[in-house]
Every structure is written in C-alpha cells, then in structure tokens.
C-alpha cells in the first residue's frame, strides 16, 4: 500500500520533516516515490508547505495519509485559502 507520511531530515535535536509518498513497507527515511512538501515545527509559526494538488491526486489514486499528514494538509489548505 502507498502512504503519504513524514520522513525526518535535519540533524540531532533539529527535526525537520519532508512530506513524502512512499510504499508502506519502506523505512521511514528510506526510499520514497515522491516528495510533496515539507514541515518545520521549530519555527514560530511552524512552516507547512504542501503541494495540496499533488496530495489530492495521490489520495484519489488510493494513497493513505498518516494522521499527522492529514492535519498538515488541513493546515496547508487553510493557508492557501487565506
């Protein structure tokens, strides 16, 4: 199954995440199909940049977003509308 999830990048105690489309069997930071955004929780306010059109396309094709990514997509839609 294909999942939309977070992959951790950045250094020790400096977590920055990429929003990726990956096979559910691949490791968290392993091989991914496509990178569709990024998330930096350390800034104030947090940086959430997701290509919502690509996310919707993948979801329409059957990809399952994780709980965290669902929340981030909702935030990205709200930012795009504002």
């Amino acid at each position: 199954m294909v999942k939309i999830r977070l992959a951790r990048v950045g250094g020790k105690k400096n977590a920055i995440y990429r929003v990726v489309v990956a096979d559910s069997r691949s490791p968290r930071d392993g091989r991914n199909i496509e990178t569709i955004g990024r998330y930096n929780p350390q800034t104030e306010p947090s940086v959430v940049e997701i290509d919502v059109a690509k996310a919707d396309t993948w979801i329409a094709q059957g990809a399952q977003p994780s709980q965290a990514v669902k929340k981030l997509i909702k935030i990205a839609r709200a930012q795009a509308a504002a």
Side-chain angles (χ1 to χ4, degrees):
M1 176 181 5
V2 176
K3 289 205 163 263
I4 302 174
R5 62 186 184 194
L6 297 175
R8 184 180 164 137
V9 293
K12 186 177 183 181
K13 296 186 180 181
N14 185 25
I16 300 170
Y17 299 93
R18 288 187 185 137
V19 181
V20 299
V21 179
D23 189 293
S24 62
R25 297 170 291 185
S26 66
R28 178 193 71 188
D29 300 334
R31 190 164 163 245
N32 63 60
I33 300 168
E34 184 177 12
T35 302
I36 61 172
R38 65 188 186 99
Y39 169 56
N40 186 353
Q42 296 182 349
T43 60
E44 188 57 44
S46 297
V47 174
V48 178
E49 294 177 358
I50 298 176
D51 188 338
V52 179
K54 284 185 181 182
D56 289 339
T57 303
W58 279 105
I59 291 169
Q61 292 176 5
Q64 297 292 315
S66 68
Q67 290 294 335
V69 171
K70 281 182 187 177
K71 290 178 185 178
L72 292 176
I73 289 173
K74 188 183 246 187
I75 292 167
R77 281 197 177 111
Q79 287 177 350

